Structure formats: C-alpha cells, structure tokens
C-alpha cells in the first residue's frame, strides 16, 4: 500500500510543472463537465497544487523560514523518490497482477484466492477497497479517472499536515489510506462549489486534529475556535493567538542538543502551519507573527547568547508588551483621538462589529454627548446584533438596518465610523465584506467615513480588488434562512425550509460566502490610529515607522 | 357615481385584496385592474364618453388609493382613459369624414407603436372631451396645422350642436369599440410582455459573460433563460436579505441550466470587478427615469456605476408611471421588521428602532438602458414613452 502511494507521488512530481501554468485559464470550466484539455488538470482542483501552496505559506512564514521549510520537504520527497524507485519493480508486477484479480473479485464477495505475492490477503483487499473508493470519488467529482489527479489531491492534503509524512512509512499506512479515501470522498463536494474565478483561494477546511499529536493542545483548541467562528474579529484573534503562543513558549523545553532560542522557531512552525490550515491567517495575525519571528531572531543574535530561561522570559515579556501596547493601549488612544470627532446631535452609522468602534461609542456616551447610532448589519454572521445589544445596554439610542437598505439609513447620518481588519499599503482598507458598500454609499452622499485602526494592522502589501486575496467561508451558512413572515406576501405559504436547502444536488448552483473586501482609499476620509488622525494614503509611512 | 352591484362587489373585493397586499406582483395587479375596468366599461351606464371617463376616473381613483404605492393600478387606469379618448377621437374622425380618406389614423395602429403618435388631430376634442383644450398647445405642431387645415376644409366639425347628437349615436358604437381596444391594447399586451422582453435578450448578452442580478423578477428570469438558450454565461445572484428572493431566483436559473452563484448582498462590491453587466427588474419606473425596485438595487446600481458596468433594467411598459419621486422615499413601503430583528431578541426590541424598507429608489443616472416589451430606451427617453402612453391630465387621478 505504501509503495502504491509512493508511486502516485512520483507521478505527481512529474506533473507539477504543468499545473501552475494552466490554473485559472478556463473561465467557463463548468464544474461538472469532464476535462478535455489534457494539461489543464488544475482547472478543477479545490486547492492549488503544491507550488501554489508553498508560496501561500511563504506569505506567512518569514523569508529565512522558507529555506528551512522547503528543505525538509525536499528531503522528504527526495527520500520518497529513492524508496519508490527501489520498490517500483516490486510495485509494478503487483499492479499488473492486481487487475485480473480484481475482475474476478467483483462477482465473488469472498476473499481472494491464495497467491504467492508479497502482500497479504488483508492488504490486497484494503488496496482494492481503496481503489474502488478512489474511483467512486473521482467519478462523483466528474474528474477523469486517472490516478494523477488523485495524487495531486493527496499532495495538497499532505501540505496542510506535515505529520502524515512520518506516518506513511509505518504500519499505519493502511489507516492513512482510509483517511485519504475519506478526504477524497469529501473533496468532490468542495470541488463542486468552486467559483471559477476564485480558484486561487482555499475553500474552507476543517481542522484535522487527529494527526497532530505533537502540537500543543492549546493551539489545537485555538484552531477549533477559529474554524467554528467562536473567536472572530481581528483583535480577538490576534490576542488569542499571541497568548496561546506565549503559553507554548513557556512550556516548551528544547531538546538537549539545541538552545531554546534556536529551537523555539522550529517548534512554533508546525503550530503556525496548523492554524493556517484551520482558517487562513488574517493579515493582522500575519503581521503579529512576523513581529514575533523578528523578536525571536533578535534573541538568537544576542551576543553573548542568552540562557534558556532568560530567552524564554524575554520572549514572553515581549509578547505581553506587544499585546498591551499595540492593542490594548492603542485602543484607548484611538478612543481618545476619536472622541474629538463626535459632537452633540450627531448620528453615527457603523457596520458590523468592531471592538474599537464599540469602545469609542461607549466612551462617547459616558462623556455625556448626545448622539444616535445606526447599526448596519449583514448576513450571514449578523455581527451587528452583538454590537447592538451592548450599545442598547449602555443606553444609547440605536437603530438597526440591514445592508441592503443602507441608503435609507444614510438619510439622516452625519458620520460613518467603521473598523478595519488591515490597512493596505495603498491606503485601501481590508475589512469585513460590505464595508466597501457602506463607504461607497456614504461617499455618494458626501458623508465622511472614519476608519479606526491600530498601527499593528498596517500591512506591507497591496490589493487592488477584493478577489485577489480573500477568505471563503462555509457556503452552508448562506442556506440557513429562517422562515420569514413577510406581510407583503400573505397568501404565499412561508416555506419551512430555505429554497437552497438542496443546493448541493443542483449541478449549476454554487454558493459563495466571501468574508472580506477591499475598500478603495478614495471612499475613506480619515483613519484614526493611536498615533493620530491620518489620511489613509499615509499608511505606508506609518508602517515604515512602526514596524 | 354608483356602479351596478355586481361590479361593485368585484371592485370591493379587489380593493380589499389590494389593501391587504394579497395581490402579489405588479403583473397580477395590472391584469386584474384591466379586467375590472373593462367590466366597468361594459356594465355601467353612460351616455357619452364624458360620463364614461368620469366613471373610470372615479373608479380608478378608488383603486389607486387602496394601495398608493402599487403604481401599476394607476398606470392601467390611465391607459384605459387614454384608450377611451383615442377611440372617441377616432370615432369622431370616422363620423366627420366618411367620404374623406382621412381615416388612416385609426384606433388600432396608433398606440401600439408607442413611438410616433399618429393620433387624429386634437381639435375634434373640443366637442367630445371637455378637458383637452389645455393640451392642444402641448401637442406637436404638425397636428395643429392639419387641424387648422381641416377646419378650413370642413365647416361642420367645430360646431357644438353637431356633437350633441353624435355622442348619443356613438354611445352604442363606442362601447364595443372601447372594450375591443381594452382587450387588444391592454390585456393582450400584458400577455406578451415577458415574451417581448425576452426576445431581445440575445442582443444584450455576449458569450462568457458574468451577469449580476438581485431579487426575484419574472421578467429578468425569462430574459436570462432565453439568452441561455443561445449563449453560455454565468450569473451571480445577490440574495436580497431579508426576503431572500435571490435564493428562489438562483434555484430557478440553475434549474434552467445557467451557471449560477449566490452571494450575500455585502459581497456585491467585492464581486463587481468581475461582472460584465447588471440586469435588474423594477417594481415601477418613474417619470424621470428613476426606478422603484427591490431593496438593495440602489447598492447594486451604485456599485456598478463605480466600476463602469452597464445596468440594464428589464421592465414592461405598464410599469411606467407618470409620477415623480420628489423625495427618494416617496414610493417606499416598510414591511414587518421582525424579519430583521425577530422577537427572539427579547428586551432588545424595545430599545431599538428597526426599519425594514421593502423598496429602493434608484436614480436615473445609474441606469444605462431600459429594455421593455416594445424595444429599448435610455432613461432620458422615458418621458416620451409616458407621453405616448398616457394623457397629461390623467396624471392625478
């Protein structure tokens, strides 16, 4: 079994150079139509193959990690290639002898007759089962019935879990094979939902906690929280992640041959990769990690070298310092700065739920200013409802609208204040999907738009549209619409279930749940940061000063 | 003006259903209104066209005020009134010049084209309908000249006593003519509305396009399905919370074989760079070319404008209303807010103001083209279409 797997792998390596060339070339690729172009195997894959995967990870891992990251990968594939070449001779006679056996197996459910081959009956049966499931999975996905595609799928699944590389060598290979089957059976469903022009984005994954015994349990729990949307929001996720890493650092004891300082980086890498696998890193989390790696490398370069204890405590302290200064205190400063901008009689509109904006509004109320708030909300997360609850509890006069009626809401609004997930280098705001529409609508009515953003969220990258880098959420969240009693349609029976409940059976239908969008800088009047009130086009200057 | 009881019962039934919003969709409303008005023409007693026009105006006013934001009612009433006037004018023409060949501007051909009004000269109106005097000067110059010519040529038309006995004689002729006209021009026209729009679909959609739409509109649905028979393209449907009409639309489109993607309303701007055209339906089209459409349409149109994407509006001509929206919210209605913030939120409901507007006003600058059942028109041409289909004094019912 393991030899068969390695055989797949060699084929995958050969096909790698082709697949990047043909990604996204075919805009009309209907997901259910079989591929006609032999080289364009990448047009229907849910996740791009390994070259793309590694470049995506390269965005999160710092440049010096890339060599460390890819070299173990290279060594792994190198060793596999060698072992596969050695076993290919024994592998191929197995394959040819499998097929006649298979044809005779189908009518008879009994185990195969004895033969003189190396594999035991159980192994052969498992192999046939594996091939049958594979074929089923491929047919269900409408993919060509070649093993090359299966290998590519396997390779991408491998990328997200580095642990399986060690497992495949041992007796757990059969269990691994089954695992692969389950993944392939799941893959067709996500395959179907892939929007053609968003193939470069990862579809939502589920965290695989089964194979990660080496990871700190706190990180596993954090990954689950992220994927279940229990922790949402840029600040919350960053703080949670940093605190968890702080715990990991505290409890990490390096192996005997390495110092703490040098080893901690390598130790954290699989954790970071795991978190990447659960939910793509937010841009601000990425900046935090970049800062963390810089701290670690600073400690490593310290001369004379620090002791383990010192390094650990230094690192933990640095993380605490970061959280306190650049997130907590920054929020307070932003509130102070923003308070100058809200006067009596104002009507403030906000979108979604931003922790900074919430603090600002609560502080304004405490200061005694007479103002009203309009909260605009949207599907499917309905984050605005939580904000609404808190504001109403504080006694603020609130109204609530859905995003589609924002023009009606804007009739009485004097200012729009929103939060951001990240601020890009060209001054654009990367934030919850829908922010761009509110900003555009406000701009059309000449209402000023203020963004509240801490400086740690300023990133050194640029996006010109929202599709180049985004996050795709779970499409099933769109299906769940509560039966709506709409007085406009009284004679129509309100449906008990949503019209889309069987969307997966519809071949031409797909749901897209985008999570972020990019607001062009021309819609934004002002950015409130802890260092002051700046125009959004000054973002790269701030990034340079405070990185 | 009292109507016969059977008709009255029908009218009351319709008014009640309008008030409760039990008649769904402007198409159904228009059809029922046309049928009721036809009944009114046939069943009520009138001796001359004046009286008929008063009856219809009265009835129409009642119907329109039952649901003032349902503009299709008023539109059909105005149409019927115009039909009546045209028929009467046409009849007078026939009566006056029996030996004259000037009967080419008959009743039939004149209003179905809608573009060039070949209506008979308005000077005859002095005798039959009382209120056309003011409008004579607004008519194009051409018809005034021909009327002057005819005045000189024929002495008899202008005399009032001539008109005193003609209406009586004509009352018996007018009724079947008017009913025939209502049947042909209005009711039959309504039947072919969807086909007329769908026939033009291929002219507007090219291969491999990505089209974006919002809400559930039967017109747009038929438009896209017809285009899909000849072209291959993709559709993105915005789901229009809180009614989630977009879900139904997407299901219908995907069943017809069109590659459909459902997105949340908030992703409209994010997905817009990828979209080639926006096609929407409308609840009503106002006199300045603005639209009353389902909530979210203004967002969609504005986002399209920012990305320089053309916006096509598929509407039928019966949705064209000769009214203006002085305020963007003039024609908006709010429906039950529990679909936004439901009662399970508990004490929050008391502290918060929740509004659930059902419609949106889309400014005419955001629309590129109206595709209607008799062709297409840019928003700046809408006033001409209104002139062709309605009489100016019918604007207030």
């Amino acid at each position: 079994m393991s030899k068969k797997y390695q055989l797949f792998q060699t084929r995958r390596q050969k096909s790698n150079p082709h697949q990047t060339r043909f990604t996204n070339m075919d805009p009309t690729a209907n997901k259910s139509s079989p591929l006609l172009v032999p080289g364009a195997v990448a047009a229907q894959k849910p996740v791009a193959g390994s070259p793309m995967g590694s470049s995506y990870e390269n965005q999160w891992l710092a440049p010096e990690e890339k060599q460390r990251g890819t070299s173990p990968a290279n060594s792994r594939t190198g060793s596999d290639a060698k072992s596969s070449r050695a076993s290919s001779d024994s592998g191929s006679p197995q394959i040819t002898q499998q097929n006649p056996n298979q044809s005779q197996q189908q009518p008879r459910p009994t185990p195969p007759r004895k033969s003189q081959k190396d594999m035991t009956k159980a192994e052969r049966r498992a192999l046939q089962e594996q091939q049958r499931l594979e074929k089923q999975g491929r047919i269900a996905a409408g993919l060509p019935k070649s093993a090359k595609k299966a290998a590519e799928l396997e390779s991408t699944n491998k990328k997200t879990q580095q642990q399986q590389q060690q497992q495949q060598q041992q007796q757990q290979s059969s269990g691994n094979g089954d695992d692969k089957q389950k993944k392939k059976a799941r893959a067709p469903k996500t395959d179907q939902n892939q929007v053609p022009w968003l193939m470069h984005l990862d579809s939502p994954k589920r965290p695989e906690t089964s194979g990660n015994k080496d990871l700190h349990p706190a990180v596993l729990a954090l990954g689950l929280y992220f994927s279940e949307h229990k922790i949402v929001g840029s600040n919350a996720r960053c703080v949670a992640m940093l605190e968890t890493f702080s715990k990991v650092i505290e409890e990490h004891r390096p192996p005997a041959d390495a110092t703490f300082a040098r080893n901690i980086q390598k130790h954290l890498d699989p954790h970071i990769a795991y978190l990447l696998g659960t939910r793509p890193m937010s841009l601000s989390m990425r900046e935090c990690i970049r800062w963390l790696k810089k701290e670690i490398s600073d400690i490593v370069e310290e001369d004379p070298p620090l002791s383990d204890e010192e390094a650990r405590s230094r690192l933990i302290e640095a993380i605490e310092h970061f959280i306190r200064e650049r997130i907590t205190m920054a929020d307070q400063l932003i509130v102070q700065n923003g308070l100058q901008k809200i006067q009596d009689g104002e009507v403030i509109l906000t979108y979604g739920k931003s922790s900074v904006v919430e603090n600002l509004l609560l502080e304004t109320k405490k200061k005694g200013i007479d103002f009203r708030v309009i909260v605009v909300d949207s599907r499917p997360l309905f984050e605005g409802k939580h904000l609404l609850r808190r504001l109403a509890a504080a006694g603020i006069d609130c109204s609530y609208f859905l995003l589609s009626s924002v023009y009606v809401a804007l009739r009485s609004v004097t200012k729009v204040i929103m939060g951001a997930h990240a601020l890009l280098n060209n001054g654009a705001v990367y934030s919850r999907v829908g922010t761009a529409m509110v900003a555009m609508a406000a701009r059309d009515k000449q209402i000023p738009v203020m963004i509240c953003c801490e400086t740690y969220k300023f990133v050194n990258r640029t996006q010109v549209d929202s599709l180049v880098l985004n996050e795709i959420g779970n499409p099933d969240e769109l299906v769940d619409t509560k039966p709506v009693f709409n007085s406009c349609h009284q004679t129509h029976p309100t449906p008990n279930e949503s019209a889309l409940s069987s969307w997966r059976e519809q071949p031409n239908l797909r749901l897209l749940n985008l999570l972020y969008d990019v607001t062009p800088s021309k819609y934004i009047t002002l950015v409130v940061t802890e260092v002051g009130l700046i125009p959004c086009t000054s973002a790269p200057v701030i990034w340079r000063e405070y990185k | 003006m009292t109507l016969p009881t059977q008709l009255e019962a029908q009218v009351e039934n319709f008014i009640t259903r309008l008030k409760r919003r039990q008649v769904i969709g402007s198409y159904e409303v228009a059809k029922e209104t046309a049928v009721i008005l036809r009944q009114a023409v046939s069943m009520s007693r009138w001796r001359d066209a004046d009286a008929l026009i008063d009856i219809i105006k009265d009835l129409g006013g009642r119907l329109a005020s039952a649901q003032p934001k349902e503009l299709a009612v008023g539109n059909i009433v105005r149409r019927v009134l115009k039909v009546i006037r045209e028929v009467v004018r046409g009849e007078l023409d026939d009566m006056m010049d029996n030996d004259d060949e000037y009967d080419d501007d008959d009743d039939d051909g004149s209003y179905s084209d809608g573009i060039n009004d070949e209506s008979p000269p308005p000077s005859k109106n002095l005798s039959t309908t009382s209120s056309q005097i003011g409008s004579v000067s607004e008519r194009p110059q051409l018809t005034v000249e021909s009327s002057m010519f005819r005045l000189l040529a024929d002495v008899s038309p202008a005399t009032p006593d001539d008109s005193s006995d003609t209406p009586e004689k004509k009352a018996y002729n007018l009724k079947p003519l008017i009913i025939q006209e209502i049947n042909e021009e209005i009711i039959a026209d309504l039947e072919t509305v969807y086909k007329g729009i769908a026939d033009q679909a291929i002219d507007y959609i090219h291969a491999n396009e990505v089209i974006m739409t919002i809400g559930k509109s039967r017109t747009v649905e038929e438009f896209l399905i017809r285009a899909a028979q000849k072209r291959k393209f993709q559709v993105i449907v915005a789901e229009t919370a809180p009614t989630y009409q977009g879900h139904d639309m997407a299901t219908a489109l995907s069943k017809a074989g069109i590659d459909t993607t459902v997105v949340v309303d908030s992703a409209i701007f994010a997905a817009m760079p990828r979209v080639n055209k926006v096609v929407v339906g409308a609840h009503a089209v106002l006199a300045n070319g603005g639209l009353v459409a389902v909530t979210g349409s203004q967002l969609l149109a504005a986002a399209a404008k920012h990305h320089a994407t053309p916006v096509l509006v598929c509407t039928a001509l019966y949705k064209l209303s000769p009214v203006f929206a002085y305020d963007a919210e003039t024609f908006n209605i709010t429906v039950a807010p529990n679909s936004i913030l439901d009662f399970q939120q508990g004490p929050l409901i008391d502290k918060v103001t929740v509004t659930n507007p059902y419609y949106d006003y889309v400014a005419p600058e955001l629309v590129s083209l109206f595709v209607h059942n008799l062709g297409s028109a840019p928003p700046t041409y809408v006033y001409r279409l209104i002139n062709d289909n309605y009489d100016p004094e019918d604007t207030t019912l």
Side-chain angles (χ1 to χ4, degrees):
Chain A
M1 204 102 43
S2 54
K3 295 164 200 155
K4 186 88 174 179
Y5 181 69
Q6 284 151 21
L7 207 56
F8 287 161
Q9 218 173 343
T10 48
R11 278 190 236 159
R12 167 188 57 88
Q13 284 160 14
K14 279 186 226 144
S15 68
N16 264 351
H18 296 296
Q19 77 197 19
T20 47
R21 260 194 282 140
F22 287 105
T23 329
N24 296 336
M25 283 274 290
D26 190 5
T28 60
N30 196 355
K31 51 182 186 267
S32 55
S33 66
L35 293 175
L36 303 170
V37 183
V41 286
Q44 279 196 14
K45 283 158 52 324
V47 185
S50 49
M52 296 281 245
S54 66
S55 72
Y56 179 59
E57 276 180 299
N58 284 341
Q59 289 170 352
W60 308 131
L61 306 175
E64 66 266 17
E65 301 318 312
K66 185 160 73 163
Q67 289 105 31
R68 261 187 271 166
T70 50
S71 45
N74 283 337
S75 60
R76 284 196 303 267
T77 53
S79 66
D80 287 343
K82 276 185 241 138
S83 55
S84 69
R85 255 176 268 125
S87 64
S88 61
D89 303 330
S90 52
S92 37
Q94 278 178 354
I95 298 166
T96 50
Q97 277 153 359
Q98 280 303 317
N99 297 332
N101 271 347
Q102 262 185 342
S103 54
Q104 287 158 17
Q105 286 317 312
Q106 302 308 347
R108 263 188 279 160
T110 55
R113 58 180 192 275
K114 270 192 173 178
S115 62
Q116 297 92 5
K117 304 196 187 54
D118 321 7
M119 296 169 83
T120 65
K121 255 192 266 180
E123 275 185 285
R124 235 178 300 136
R125 189 142 183 81
L127 178 61
Q128 283 167 10
E129 197 55 38
Q130 174 188 4
Q131 284 174 343
R132 192 177 58 80
L133 283 175
E134 263 180 67
K135 206 164 204 172
Q136 269 181 4
R138 277 187 241 123
I139 291 170
L143 306 172
K145 304 171 190 156
S146 75
K148 216 196 290 186
K149 290 275 328 219
E152 280 156 7
L153 274 175
E154 280 181 21
S155 73
T156 56
N157 284 329
K158 255 193 332 136
K159 271 298 164 190
T160 62
Q161 302 146 46
Q162 301 166 355
Q163 307 303 315
Q164 292 187 351
Q165 287 299 330
Q166 291 100 19
Q167 285 178 355
Q168 63 153 2
Q169 315 286 345
Q170 294 129 23
Q171 275 102 19
Q172 294 157 10
S173 56
S174 57
N176 200 20
D178 284 343
D179 215 6
K180 292 266 176 303
Q181 299 322 311
K182 288 196 211 96
K183 260 191 246 74
K184 278 194 214 100
R186 270 208 304 269
K189 277 200 193 130
T190 49
D191 253 350
Q192 276 185 336
N193 198 37
Q194 198 66 13
V195 180
W197 63 87
L198 290 177
M199 296 263 193
H200 57 290
L201 300 176
D202 298 333
S203 17
K205 310 168 209 159
R206 257 154 242 258
E208 293 281 340
T209 50
S210 52
N212 300 322
K213 303 180 182 61
D214 299 3
L215 297 184
H216 197 280
V219 175
L220 293 176
L222 191 66
L224 277 175
Y225 280 139
F226 282 173
S227 67
E228 301 283 321
H229 288 301
K230 293 273 186 293
I231 301 186
V232 278
S234 171
N235 281 351
R237 281 165 76 191
C238 278
V239 169
M241 181 189 74
L242 284 175
E243 285 181 350
T244 315
F245 280 167
S246 174
K247 208 155 161 233
V248 169
I249 289 171
E250 194 177 322
E251 297 179 4
H252 175 63
R253 299 286 172 267
D257 55 345
T259 62
F260 173 82
R262 294 189 186 280
N263 186 253
I264 187 66
Q265 175 72 71
K266 228 162 75 155
H267 182 70
L268 276 180
D269 272 347
H271 295 95
I272 296 174
Y274 168 71
L275 285 182
L276 254 183
T278 60
R279 204 184 146 180
M281 289 276 202
S282 62
L283 291 182
S284 44
M285 277 166 76
R286 172 191 174 228
E287 286 294 305
C288 290
I289 290 181
R290 179 166 279 177
W291 166 85
L292 186 63
K293 291 197 193 271
K294 185 162 161 294
E295 283 295 306
I296 294 178
S297 63
D298 280 348
I299 289 181
V300 167
E301 285 159 21
E302 187 92 14
D303 190 31
L306 298 172
S307 76
D308 278 0
E309 275 312 307
E310 268 191 33
R312 181 176 298 129
S313 64
R314 177 93 85 88
L315 206 50
I316 293 178
E317 213 182 282
I319 290 180
E320 267 183 37
H321 189 75
F322 183 89
I323 293 178
R324 196 172 55 235
E325 274 225 351
R326 304 200 66 183
I327 301 182
T328 319
M329 294 274 312
D331 281 355
Q332 289 170 4
L333 277 173
I334 289 178
V335 167
Q336 290 304 313
N337 284 337
L339 272 177
Q340 320 162 3
K341 288 292 173 189
I342 304 184
Q343 281 99 33
D344 274 330
E346 293 235 24
V347 180
I348 311 276
L349 184 134
T350 182
Y351 177 72
K353 174 170 164 23
S354 164
S355 49
V356 189
V357 177
E358 185 185 323
N359 285 342
L360 175 60
L361 295 175
L362 292 173
E363 271 301 315
T364 317
K365 180 71 179 173
K366 273 193 214 148
K367 215 167 122 178
I369 295 182
D370 171 35
F371 70 114
R372 284 202 303 124
V373 174
I374 299 184
V375 176
V376 175
D377 202 5
S378 78
R379 283 243 299 160
L381 293 172
F382 284 123
E383 296 168 317
K385 281 197 182 133
H386 305 294
L387 178 64
L388 189 67
R389 214 178 281 278
R390 305 235 184 119
L391 294 181
I396 301 179
D397 189 1
C398 305
S399 309
Y400 184 70
F401 282 85
L402 278 190
L403 180 61
S404 15
S405 40
V406 73
Y407 274 90
V408 176
L410 278 173
R411 304 185 71 207
S412 51
V413 167
T414 55
K415 283 196 178 65
V416 174
I417 304 184
M418 297 190 281
H421 188 87
L423 215 70
L424 304 174
N425 233 6
N426 60 347
V429 172
Y430 186 81
S431 180
R432 178 66 69 208
V433 65
T435 313
M437 311 204 65
V438 176
M440 170 193 78
R443 187 53 151 193
D444 281 347
K445 296 194 165 224
Q446 275 112 28
I447 298 175
V449 177
M450 276 169 45
I451 301 284
C452 297
C453 184
E454 299 90 344
T455 53
Y456 86 94
K457 287 180 181 166
F458 284 53
V459 298
N460 188 26
R461 65 183 305 274
T462 298
Q463 255 181 268
V464 290
D465 68 7
S466 319
L467 300 174
V468 150
L469 184 72
N470 207 322
E471 189 181 333
I472 299 189
N474 189 0
D476 288 315
E477 288 174 11
L478 295 189
V479 174
D480 181 24
T481 65
K482 289 185 297 201
V484 165
F485 179 79
N486 189 347
S487 60
C488 238
H489 297 248
Q490 283 198 1
T491 50
H492 276 187
T494 46
N496 283 332
E497 52 170 39
S498 144
L500 290 181
S501 50
S502 60
W503 69 275
R504 288 193 193 269
E505 280 96 48
Q506 286 278 10
N508 288 318
L509 188 60
R510 58 174 84 91
L511 305 187
L512 177 60
N513 186 6
L514 274 179
L515 287 179
Y516 292 108
D517 72 4
V518 171
T519 309
S521 57
K522 62 182 188 245
Y523 296 149
I524 302 185
T525 322
L526 185 66
V527 178
V528 184
T529 65
E530 69 263 27
V531 300
L533 308 165
I534 61 167
C536 55
T537 42
S538 306
V541 176
I542 301 284
W543 182 83
R544 218 173 60 177
E545 296 290 319
Y546 288 97
K547 61 178 165 150
Chain B
M1 206 115 349
T2 53
L3 302 166
T5 42
Q6 186 194 1
L7 180 63
E8 187 64 35
Q10 255 186 322
V11 168
E12 277 304 315
N13 179 356
F14 186 48
I15 286 183
T16 319
R17 277 187 300 131
L18 271 179
K19 282 186 182 168
R20 294 186 194 150
R21 299 193 195 128
Q22 281 177 334
V23 193
I24 298 159
S26 42
Y27 180 69
E28 299 298 321
V29 169
K31 265 170 78 167
E32 286 213 36
T33 314
V35 166
I36 285 199
L37 290 176
R38 185 185 60 192
Q39 300 284 75
V41 169
S42 71
M43 283 198 211
S44 57
R45 297 235 212 104
W46 45 279
R47 284 196 302 155
D48 58 357
D50 257 347
L52 175 62
I53 286 183
D54 284 338
I55 293 177
I56 298 290
K57 253 199 175 166
D58 197 48
L59 176 58
R62 278 172 64 195
L63 291 178
S65 55
Q67 186 60 267
K69 306 291 165 61
E70 189 60 72
L71 297 169
V73 176
N75 296 346
I76 297 293
V77 170
R78 292 182 189 105
R79 274 237 172 140
V80 170
L81 286 171
K82 182 159 173 103
V83 160
I84 294 172
R85 293 206 180 93
E86 295 289 330
V87 168
V88 165
R89 233 175 286 138
E91 272 303 294
L92 270 183
D93 279 352
D94 290 347
M95 290 286 298
M96 307 312 176
D97 5 86
N98 267 331
D99 31 22
D100 227 333
E101 271 90 41
Y102 195 73
D103 56 347
D104 45 75
D105 13 26
D106 268 342
D107 328 329
D108 321 90
S110 44
Y111 3 87
S112 59
D113 300 336
I115 312 298
N116 269 327
D117 203 348
E118 311 275 2
S119 54
S123 68
K124 308 288 190 270
N125 300 337
L126 291 169
S127 45
T128 51
T129 58
S130 44
S131 41
Q132 286 274 7
I133 300 174
S135 62
V136 170
S137 50
E138 290 147 44
R139 296 283 172 164
Q141 204 57 22
L142 183 62
T143 47
V144 172
E145 278 173 4
S146 50
S147 70
M148 302 283 276
F149 173 72
R150 299 177 54 81
L151 270 176
L152 292 173
D154 245 329
V155 188
S156 45
T159 55
D161 28 73
D162 205 355
S163 58
S164 55
D165 34 66
T166 43
E168 287 191 18
K169 269 190 273 180
K170 276 176 13 188
Y172 303 104
N173 295 344
L174 275 183
K175 199 182 259 197
L177 264 177
I178 291 180
I179 294 183
Q180 181 199 6
E181 282 311 311
I182 293 181
N183 271 337
E184 280 177 18
E185 297 313 314
I186 300 180
I187 298 185
D189 194 46
L190 281 177
E191 305 286 333
T192 60
V193 145
Y194 295 115
K195 183 173 175 309
I197 295 179
D199 282 342
Q200 304 175 58
I202 306 198
D203 297 333
Y204 293 110
I205 298 183
H206 62 250
N208 277 356
E209 268 206 283
V210 178
I211 310 244
M212 189 178 245
T213 182
I214 193 170
K216 182 166 172 61
S217 162
R218 189 175 149 193
T219 321
V220 175
E221 196 179 316
E222 302 212 1
F223 184 87
L224 292 176
I225 290 179
R226 178 73 71 85
Q229 290 166 2
K230 293 261 177 65
R231 308 248 194 274
K232 187 137 180 65
F233 55 94
Q234 300 175 32
V235 175
I236 305 181
V237 181
E239 64 175 8
T240 48
T243 50
Y244 304 113
Q245 297 171 3
H247 289 190
D248 297 324
M249 179 79 156
T251 325
L253 287 177
S254 63
K255 285 209 176 89
I258 301 179
D259 198 347
T260 320
T261 309
V262 178
V263 296
V264 279
D265 299 337
S266 15
I268 287 177
F269 194 91
M272 189 57 73
R274 186 64 201 188
V275 172
N276 298 116
K277 282 192 181 71
V278 171
V279 178
V280 290
H283 171 75
V285 178
L286 304 172
N288 61 342
L291 298 185
V292 176
V294 74
T295 182
S297 311
Q298 164 78 324
L299 277 176
L300 182 59
K305 179 85 172 195
H306 280 274
H307 289 87
T309 308
V311 176
L312 298 180
V313 179
C314 295
T315 77
L317 279 176
Y318 71 86
K319 289 188 187 171
L320 211 59
S321 311
V323 294
F324 283 89
Y326 299 103
D327 181 21
E329 304 310 315
T330 317
F331 293 106
N332 211 343
I333 54 176
T334 51
V335 293
N338 67 326
S339 41
I340 295 191
L341 200 63
D342 55 347
F343 297 112
Q344 285 163 357
Q345 302 295 327
L348 192 58
I349 304 280
D350 289 337
K351 304 185 195 151
V352 169
T353 315
V354 183
T355 315
N356 187 1
Y358 194 73
Y359 291 124
D360 235 345
Y361 169 75
V362 181
E365 299 85 42
L366 302 177
V367 176
S368 311
L369 193 67
F370 285 102
V371 178
H372 56 79
N373 47 324
L374 299 174
S376 61
T380 44
Y381 190 72
V382 166
Y383 80 97
R384 281 300 294 160
L385 290 174
I386 287 181
N387 262 348
D388 295 333
N389 284 316
Y390 307 118
D391 271 331
E393 65 269 9
D394 294 333
T395 308
T396 49
L397 284 173

